[in-house]
Amino acid sequence: MIETRTSQAADDHGHVLVVDDDPQIRLLVARFLQRQGYKVTGAPDGRVMLDVLQHAEIDLVILDVMLPGRSGFDLCGDVRAMSQVPIMMLTARTDEGDRVIGLEAGADDYVTKPFSPRELLARVRAVLRRSRVTRGGSAGRASEAVAFDGWRLDLRRRELTSPSGTLVDLSTGEFDLLVAFVEHANRVLSREALMQFAKTRSSDDPFDRTIDVQISRLRRKLDADALGGQLIKTIRGAGYMFTPSIQMQESLLA
């Protein structure tokens, strides 16, 4: 069953899809976000979630990990195959493994249960802001696109095309990260600098592997169809370097 709640200011804030098999959590999250001006749709499982995504404009998916049938991790992969909508995972476990698995599946952020409403709201705002800044910033680059090592990155369409002509799916976080690398090509960038440039969620935990997982996922996608070897090199003790030369182009978007 699809549940939708809205407010008078909802169109100004965005449409959030909450996927959780616990009706109490769906209701509490929906009521709280609705009071903050968001339109909220609830879904109890992956089947309903995918149906909503096919028929509604969704700005953010809040996806529980522990769902009946297919897990939230599997469903995250399904969403990534059809959409680049930002995804925030909910997990009841605090171990790093869940965070890494979620990011590997294409999630943009994660929240650990139990969570405070204020933390959830802050995360929602941050993910939506990052997504909108990326889209708006890309649209403001005078229809620019860039080429490197046979690849083409269209900054307006947010599309990455491989040397063989295949469109490569990128999550919001991966796109932000690639743009950061392109804008600072052939410079050594520390993890901290990449977090700042790519607007990755900051963490007080020095062992948080969020940025490393994002880099690993992006590197695998680039290296799978690279012409000139590894494009993102690890500089031991310093950070990472994006090695190809960059050529500015015009976007194909009319």
Side-chain angles (χ1 to χ4, degrees), residues 192-213:
E192 292 73 19
L194 284 168
M195 288 180 184
Q196 179 180 357
F197 291 142
K199 308 175 187 69
T200 302
R201 185 184 65 82
S202 61
S203 172
D204 294 328
D205 182 0
F207 300 104
D208 191 322
R209 293 180 55 202
T210 299
I211 191 67
D212 303 287
V213 172

Side-chain angles (χ1 to χ4, degrees), residues 57-124:
E57 291 292 331
I58 300 297
D59 298 296
L60 171 67
V61 178
I62 298 179
L63 178 60
D64 187 32
V65 169
M66 302 299 293
L67 291 171
R70 306 188 69 212
S71 74
F73 297 136
D74 293 332
L75 292 171
C76 182
D78 290 345
V79 175
R80 278 291 163 261
M82 59 182 284
S83 171
Q84 296 309 308
V85 61
I87 300 173
M88 180 183 298
M89 304 292 295
L90 296 181
T91 175
R93 297 189 295 182
T94 59
D95 62 289
E96 185 184 45
D98 271 7
R99 304 179 188 179
V100 173
I101 294 172
L103 291 169
E104 290 278 2
D108 295 281
D109 201 356
Y110 50 84
V111 177
T112 303
K113 296 180 181 178
F115 51 82
S116 71
R118 290 182 61 187
E119 178 191 11
L120 179 66
L121 179 62
R123 296 286 185 84
V124 166

